Amino acid sequence: MSYNIPIRPRRNRINASMRSLVQENHVSVNDLIMPLFVIEGEGHKIEVPSMPNIYRFSLDTLAQEVSELWDLGIKAVALFPAIDDSLKDSIATESLNPEGLFQRAIKTVKSTCPDMLTICDVAMDPYSSDGHDGFVENSEIINDKTLPILAKMAVAQAQAGADIIAPSDMMDGRVSVIREALDQAGYSNVGILAYTAKYASAFYGPFRDALDSAPKAGDKKTYQMNPANTREALREAELDTAEGADMIMVKPGLAYLDVVQTLAQNSQLPIAVYNVSGEYAMLQAAAEKGWLDYRSTVCETLMSFKRAGADIILSYHAKEFASWQKEA
Ligand code: PBG
């Protein structure tokens, strides 16, 4: 191309009105899912040490938090229960208890705000005495013995009022098994948000502290993906899609924006990204030291997910972002 007049991209950045007119991407509270940690007891709102301003809620304070989120425009929460060690076993029995903490948490959310969507994590780790997402036998994670456990867990959550089941376990074939179980139990309207490209990441550290859910032995590398791979994410996406996922997710977020973009360009399903606990902790820690401007870096981070092609963002920043929007 040749031209004899100067081309000036800066004209489109000349003032705030112009910049907003030509802005390509936007973050909206409509896109955000707020993760919430739930504990037993009453009157508890206990800060997670490695996640300032993020709390473990007992059911009464959970109700209060959910109403606040709803008032701020947040329409979806992802629930994570911290299960007492005495209730953990090798087959995640407690996950099926209709009076279990997770089930009561789902009911609490739905009775507080009936239109608040409940996104419910399915994996064995919160309930497992081994701390793994799958069933362990002789130090191995046994895929096909895990599947029926996950399917029953999903149905138990649907019974309690789950809107969306989010399998985070990375077992092969889990989406189809869960879909079939939900349909057979009469929950064909309950959706599946598959953790499709979930990497074996060190960025989950603060989450495992929050729930005391770290593996007792070994690591999660035989089921979670190798951080070095992108084409493998396409393979997982193809499988989850064929098995009936309604939405697919990439996790973690910031270090995996290329994977978000690749899936967004290759899938017809809504793409979610999980801005995980370690990513939250990094910004909080830098801000605490006065090394970064917290609010600007949070907004820039959330925007990066939209720019990469994410439709949905799970983020511990969801509540504060919504409150900033409200102020604006
Ligand atoms: C459990 C699960 C994990 C996260 C979400 N679901 C931890 C893990 O896989 O070890 C991590 C979320 C975060 O770090 O914010 N399967």
Side-chain angles (χ1 to χ4, degrees), residues 135 141-148 150 170-174:
F135 176 73
I141 315 298
I142 312 292
N143 196 90
D144 295 5
K145 286 190 179 168
T146 305
L147 295 180
L150 300 175
M170 290 302 278
M171 295 301 121
D172 294 334
R174 89 273 207 214

Side-chain angles (χ1 to χ4, degrees), residues 121 125 133 168 198 204 207-208 220 224 251 277 316:
D121 213 71
D125 56 334
D133 295 17
S168 69
K198 177 172 178 178
Y204 308 148
F207 176 99
R208 293 179 191 169
K220 299 192 173 187
Q224 298 181 347
K251 174 184 175 189
S277 56
Y316 302 94

Side-chain angles (χ1 to χ4, degrees), residues 175-231:
V175 172
S176 61
V177 168
I178 290 171
R179 182 70 273 159
E180 200 170 52
L182 288 172
D183 288 354
Q184 271 172 11
Y187 297 107
S188 55
N189 288 333
V190 171
I192 297 179
L193 163 59
Y195 284 70
T196 291
K198 177 172 178 178
Y199 288 87
S201 169
F203 285 102
Y204 308 148
F207 176 99
R208 293 179 191 169
D209 293 342
L211 296 188
D212 190 21
S213 65
K216 298 287 183 283
D219 54 40
K220 299 192 173 187
K221 290 180 184 170
T222 67
Y223 46 106
Q224 298 181 347
M225 283 177 55
N226 179 348
N229 297 349
T230 15
R231 281 185 299 127

